[in-house]
Amino acid sequence: MLRGRDDERRAIRDLLGGAGGGALLLQGEPGSGRTALLGYAHRHAGDRTILAGTGLTDEAALPYAGLQRLLDPVRDRAGALPAAQRRVLRRALAGAGCPAGQRLTLSMAVLGLLAAVARERPLLCTMDDVDLGDRPTAEALAFVARRLCHLPVVVILTGAVDTTPGGIPARRLRPLDEHDSRAVLADRLPVAASDPVATTLGTIAAGNPQALVDLADALTPAQCRGEEHLPDTPPPDGVLGRGYRARLNRLPDATRRLLLLAALGDGVNAATLVRAARAAGTVIEALTPAETAGLVRVEAHGVTFPHPLARAMVVATAPLAERRTAHLLLAALLDGTGHRLRRALHLAAAAEGPDPALAGELEEAARGEGSPDARSAALHRAADLGGDRARAAARLVDAAHHAWAAGRPHQARLLTQHLPTDATDPTVTGRAELLRGEMELRCGRTPVALTALLAAADAAAGAAPDLALQALLRAGEAVCFAGDQYRYADVAQRARRLGHTPASPGTELATARLAGMAAALRGDHETAGPALRRTVVLADRLTGADRTPTALTGGAVAALLVAEDGPAHRLADHAVGLARTRGEVADLPRALELRAIAEYWLGRHEAAAESSREGLRIARSAGQATWAGVHRGMLAVLAAVRADRASSLRLIREIGEEPAPGSRPDALARWALAVLDLLDGRPEDAAARLAGLARPGTGRGQVTVQVMATPYLVEAAAASTHRPAAVAALAVFDRWAHSTASPSRRALSARCHALLAPRGSAAAEEGFRAALRWHPPGDGAFERARTEFLFGRELRRSRRPRDARRHLHDARETFARLGATAWAGQAAAELRAAGESVGGPDPTAAGLLTGQQLRVAQLVAEGATNREVADLMFLSTRTVDHHLRNIFHRLGIRSRTQLARVL
């Protein structure tokens, strides 16, 4: 089964199924599936004659060697060629070469020979790795491939990414995405891989199909279950490894030594590489054969490996002794250059046994420099090299923290599982439990996360109160994620019992945030406001070691709770930038979630979708399944708001049934479905979904999601049986909105009260007018347009069509400008119902109806009864009956079934 190559297979089938001929060049890195696609072409060639060849590096210096092997089965057909072409072809295939002046004759001879073969049956001619064989063969086949449109001949060539003969349609084989990578593993593994294992293997393979196959074939059952460490690279004795080894063995010894130095010295500059070459007894020019073979590119800043796996395979296939020599040489070159961690890692890679001094050097170096990945590797190695078990435990926990930060939760879990059983330092135990809890929160089961985080807080409460406070912050996140906000009071009480004076701005921020969150969740906004605003101020002032992505996201949370959308966006954006700079991948999904929420409140829906798309991509690559669900939920809501039904439903399906009922992804999915219900004219269904998001006064359910969705709930429930739930939700929204200084929240509150007021009343009109006064200029154009639309609809239904038109025109114009076509369509329908002549959806049938008749017809065509139409349009059933009789008469039909067909 060829996974992830649907487009390429379709292109091959189209070529083979066509009446004429054609050509295709498949480009890709080693292991990308080029050879497998040629096999697919052979299997689907039908009754075609097949000629197949492969470019061989061993024959690259022999002109036309590849052509000789390709055409050998049909050399006897050369008699059909003109004499001049026949002589040139036989000379070339006999190894006598071809003079420059006769290359055109030779190329025409090859074309003529293939045409002669194809007279009996259509022909498929393939050449794998055309770039590795002799150049004259590649040039002759490219000539032929450009001249096949009138011949029943298909030519398919494969080559490296930089194989670019002009005039031949080419397809580059991209790395497999996560879904297809997992499918390849599932096809090959004897037992199903755990989710973190599949994610890690996909990262190691970098989307290379052969690398995935080789990894799957080499795994033990314990590795599949995530109980043992996974390999860092595909196995050197696998198909991909053997292929790379064969390519490397053809290079001169000096080239291979220098290539290994370049691979191990990841990030070394050109000057250091020149010195490395000199120390190895060679010169930088020794890399030229590797460049020619496409393994590396030598540039001014250093050496780059164009294929993601090339560097790893160069190292994996090198003998141990050569790797050790290279590490020691690089360590010597880095001595005194300021690259302390890299030097220590090279020394550690070459170490032959325990070395406490080197372990201490690794630990010290990891504190001052390096990416999270490098720090994790250094501390893990330090734990192996040192002799003190207590010190080893602390180093393993530190290594696990850095592995988690780098986006490798599987590695972090294994490191924490292998802690010495006699490690009793409460700080070390607390840090290990905190990490386990955070990983469960982001990747696994929220109840397990909460248990681990509270255990971490208890373990560290006496010896490390700052650590206990961080654990309680994460525990608060866990209860909010699960929809158990009533438990936040217990978390806050535990924080108060710590009873210590904040020792740093970071600790002060955490304390203020916990207190403010607890007050906000119990509805005490007078107490919450000052604490949360203090949190925002402290977050803005953070410097040095206190300025972490986690602290900045805490400030963003506080800002959102007091409706300070600009500061929330700024702090979340700073957290994203800082996490990227530090390489702390694990913090990005949460920071991007908060940035997306701030952008939603600011009315920047497309920016919010972009933040969530990036958050989803990173969460999936970092194994954070829980937060991937959050981002899918947010994307589903945004897609629903822009009426992209297909995308919204697809994202909801991807969330699946794994999130627990009441969790944040579950609530976001229900919000998205409710928006789609509202767009489809099913307010009762929308209200039912939204009313169940939270239970005001109990602290259960997704209170924050319901607050965000309250405007939709009120709109849906205004004329439904769920009106009491909308009134209760609006009371919660009002208490919050009026505790803030946010004009946009006041506008939404006023709009909601207008919707709940009696139709046609002065209270309704004043509510809408107040909402329009509160809506801020600039950001929030979508919500202002929604208010204009709802106000216009209210005026139209109150039999004030002339007053309604201005608001409906403004709404329609804004929706159109924002690309919200479905909402613009609703505004246009209301305009037609108000007597305005605007473009309709169907010039033949709908053009014969008035605006109100068209709306009635659309609802009936969708299956609504007369009573349901009357309720939705605020009309009497007698008026709906009257409209239907006129609709049937104007359209010349007699039944509802015919009406559905006409529309």
Side-chain angles (χ1 to χ4, degrees):
M1 180 69 177
L2 282 170
R3 301 285 187 179
R5 299 291 181 240
D6 292 346
D7 292 343
E8 290 77 13
R9 288 187 294 165
R10 189 178 304 109
I12 290 171
R13 290 196 304 272
D14 289 345
L15 266 181
L16 295 173
L24 179 64
L25 171 64
L26 299 172
Q27 303 166 303
E29 65 172 312
S32 59
R34 298 173 304 185
T35 303
L37 283 167
L38 289 187
Y40 178 85
H42 293 166
R43 292 192 298 275
H44 288 77
D47 61 351
R48 289 176 179 266
T49 300
I50 298 176
L51 294 177
T54 301
L56 300 176
T57 307
D58 290 342
E59 298 182 356
L62 304 176
Y64 303 110
L67 199 63
Q68 186 274 329
R69 284 184 288 104
L70 178 70
L71 300 180
D72 188 63
V74 294
R75 288 177 67 177
D76 58 326
R77 311 291 181 88
L81 299 175
Q85 291 183 12
R86 187 168 61 248
R87 284 194 302 272
V88 173
L89 179 63
R90 286 175 174 170
R91 175 189 172 107
L93 298 186
C98 178
Q102 293 186 313
R103 287 178 184 169
L104 177 59
T105 303
L106 174 60
S107 298
M108 290 299 298
V110 175
L111 180 63
L113 179 60
L114 297 182
V117 173
R119 288 193 189 103
E120 298 178 7
R121 287 193 299 168
L123 174 65
L124 169 62
C125 177
T126 66
M127 177 65 78
D128 200 9
D129 295 329
V130 68
D131 56 317
L132 297 183
D134 63 279
R135 186 174 181 83
T137 291
E139 292 173 346
L141 289 175
F143 177 94
V144 169
R146 291 188 283 264
R147 291 165 173 81
L148 297 174
C149 58
H150 300 300
L151 295 174
V153 178
V154 169
V155 171
I156 303 178
L157 311 175
T158 76
V161 174
D162 55 357
T163 306
T164 54
I168 304 176
R171 284 186 174 272
R172 182 169 179 177
L173 305 185
R174 304 291 178 182
L176 300 184
D177 61 19
E178 182 186 14
H179 173 78
D180 288 318
S181 294
R182 286 173 177 258
V184 171
L185 292 172
D187 291 341
R188 302 290 298 197
L189 288 172
V191 296
S194 67
D195 192 68
V197 168
T199 299
T200 302
L201 292 176
T203 301
I204 294 169
N208 185 291
Q210 188 60 57
L212 287 163
V213 169
D214 291 349
L215 283 163
D217 290 347
L219 289 189
T220 66
Q223 286 175 317
C224 290
R225 293 190 298 269
E227 298 168 359
E228 294 178 357
H229 285 284
L230 296 173
D232 295 323
T233 64
D237 57 347
V239 173
L240 190 64
R242 292 197 301 272
Y244 269 102
R245 183 182 286 111
R247 295 176 71 185
L248 293 169
N249 287 341
R250 288 191 288 268
L251 298 175
D253 289 347
T255 302
R256 286 191 290 106
R257 288 199 304 273
L258 194 49
L259 195 60
L260 179 59
L261 287 169
L264 290 173
D266 186 10
V268 298
N269 56 33
T272 303
L273 196 60
V274 169
R275 291 194 296 125
R278 191 179 305 119
T282 184
V283 292
I284 193 67
E285 287 75 14
L287 276 175
T288 301
E291 250 191 308
T292 304
L295 288 167
V296 293
R297 284 196 294 264
V298 181
E299 299 166 331
H301 64 274
V303 174
T304 59
F305 288 78
H307 302 312
L309 284 170
R311 182 191 301 275
M313 298 311 296
V314 166
V315 175
T317 56
L320 176 61
E322 291 184 14
R323 292 202 303 270
R324 185 171 183 276
T325 299
H327 278 300
L328 290 172
L329 189 152
L330 288 167
L333 288 173
L334 292 171
D335 192 12
T337 62
H339 298 292
R340 185 180 180 185
L341 180 58
R342 285 165 58 190
R343 176 182 177 275
L345 282 167
H346 284 302
L347 290 173
E352 296 179 334
D355 189 335
L358 180 53
E361 172 65 9
L362 282 165
E363 184 175 14
E364 286 296 319
R367 288 176 183 167
E369 63 177 277
S371 67
D373 254 329
R375 293 182 178 195
S376 177
L379 289 161
H380 188 189
R381 187 73 174 120
D384 291 337
L385 292 171
D388 187 315
R389 292 177 63 81
R391 188 69 252 157
R395 288 166 177 165
L396 283 174
V397 172
D398 286 342
H401 269 280
H402 288 302
W404 163 247
R408 296 194 290 130
H410 172 71
Q411 175 73 0
R413 282 194 181 94
L414 287 175
L415 288 168
T416 57
Q417 288 171 7
H418 290 89
L419 290 177
T421 55
D422 55 352
T424 57
D425 185 334
T427 302
V428 172
T429 303
R431 293 185 71 246
E433 286 298 325
L434 171 58
L435 179 59
R436 291 189 187 105
E438 183 172 359
M439 288 192 293
E440 286 293 345
L441 172 61
R442 304 279 184 236
C443 309
R445 300 154 294 174
T446 308
V448 175
L450 182 59
T451 300
L453 291 165
L454 293 177
D458 292 341
D466 285 356
L467 180 62
L469 192 62
Q470 292 301 316
L472 291 172
L473 277 174
R474 289 287 187 260
E477 258 190 74
V479 298
C480 290
F481 178 88
D484 296 331
Q485 282 90 340
Y486 71 94
R487 300 186 67 176
Y488 207 98
D490 176 59
V491 173
Q493 180 62 32
R494 287 169 178 258
R496 285 192 294 272
R497 284 201 299 267
L498 292 175
H500 70 291
T501 302
S504 69
T507 304
E508 186 180 356
L509 183 150
T511 303
R513 177 186 162 194
L514 270 168
M517 282 280 294
L521 290 173
R522 66 174 181 266
D524 183 2
H525 297 294
E526 289 185 359
T527 302
L532 292 170
R533 292 186 183 92
R534 174 67 176 159
T535 303
V536 176
V537 171
L538 289 169
D540 269 328
R541 294 177 180 173
L542 291 173
T543 59
D546 290 315
R547 187 178 173 81
T548 64
T550 299
L552 291 172
T553 55
V557 169
L560 287 169
L561 287 172
V562 290
E564 294 183 1
D565 304 324
H569 184 267
R570 183 182 66 250
L571 288 167
D573 195 49
H574 287 171
V576 170
L578 187 59
R580 283 181 181 143
T581 300
R582 295 183 176 187
E584 294 175 355
V585 176
D587 289 322
L588 282 169
R590 174 64 167 158
L592 286 162
E593 176 207 3
L594 296 171
R595 192 173 79 179
I597 293 172
E599 287 162 342
Y600 172 85
W601 280 117
L602 289 166
R604 305 172 192 169
H605 291 181
E606 186 49 47
E610 185 56 38
S611 292
S612 282
R613 280 191 288 269
E614 185 181 2
L616 174 58
R617 178 182 60 79
I618 294 171
R620 291 171 65 181
S621 68
Q624 294 190 21
T626 306
W627 247 253
V630 171
H631 283 290
R632 285 192 179 99
M634 192 68 192
L635 284 168
V637 170
L638 293 165
V641 167
R642 65 176 182 269
D644 184 353
R645 167 183 293 279
S647 295
S648 186
L649 293 177
R650 173 181 57 78
L651 288 157
I652 291 168
R653 285 194 299 271
E654 289 177 2
I655 292 173
E657 299 180 359
E658 186 172 335
S663 66
R664 196 173 305 155
D666 175 69
L668 290 167
R670 285 195 278 166
W671 179 11
L673 289 170
V675 175
L676 293 176
D677 287 335
L678 202 55
L679 278 164
D680 291 342
R682 297 192 300 273
E684 191 78 23
D685 293 343
R689 294 185 198 278
L690 295 173
L693 293 182
R695 295 184 289 282
T698 68
R700 297 179 184 274
Q702 287 297 324
V703 176
T704 54
V705 176
Q706 189 175 68
V707 165
M708 293 178 72
T710 292
Y712 290 95
L713 170 58
V714 171
E715 181 181 345
S720 78
T721 57
H722 294 281
R723 184 183 176 92
V727 171
L730 181 56
V732 173
F733 187 92
D734 278 344
R735 285 196 298 274
W736 171 62
H738 291 284
S739 74
T740 74
S742 168
S744 65
R745 306 308 193 275
R746 301 287 182 93
L748 293 173
S749 173
R751 186 175 88 194
C752 289
H753 282 282
L755 287 166
L756 292 175
R759 179 154 52 100
S761 67
E765 182 169 352
E766 177 50 37
F768 280 118
R769 295 196 184 281
L772 291 174
R773 289 194 299 271
W774 276 111
H775 275 300
D779 287 335
F782 178 80
E783 288 299 342
R784 182 181 181 87
R786 294 272 295 129
T787 299
E788 295 273 18
F789 167 73
L790 293 167
F791 189 18
R793 189 180 71 179
E794 162 69 14
L795 291 170
R796 199 271 303 166
R797 291 175 176 178
S798 301
R799 293 178 172 77
R800 296 169 59 185
R802 182 177 300 175
D803 295 334
R805 290 172 198 149
R806 178 174 65 83
H807 297 289
L808 293 170
H809 271 300
D810 289 346
R812 185 188 183 208
E813 182 179 329
T814 302
F815 287 142
R817 177 167 50 83
L818 296 174
T821 53
W823 297 106
Q826 286 200 0
E830 285 293 333
L831 275 169
R832 285 191 292 273
E836 186 83 4
S837 178
V838 294
D842 185 343
T844 55
L848 299 173
L849 307 177
T850 67
Q852 197 161 50
Q853 287 173 343
L854 177 60
R855 183 62 176 145
V856 170
Q858 288 171 332
L859 290 171
V860 171
E862 291 170 2
T865 65
N866 287 12
R867 168 57 64 188
E868 289 169 339
V869 174
D871 291 341
L872 288 168
M873 296 190 65
F874 296 91
L875 301 171
S876 68
T877 53
R878 187 160 53 184
T879 301
V880 174
D881 290 338
H882 173 74
H883 281 315
L884 266 180
R885 285 194 298 273
N886 288 335
I887 291 166
F888 285 4
H889 174 73
R890 289 191 179 195
L891 298 182
I893 59 176
R894 295 185 177 183
S895 70
R896 291 171 180 256
T897 302
Q898 288 178 303
L899 178 61
R901 290 173 183 161
V902 168
L903 292 181

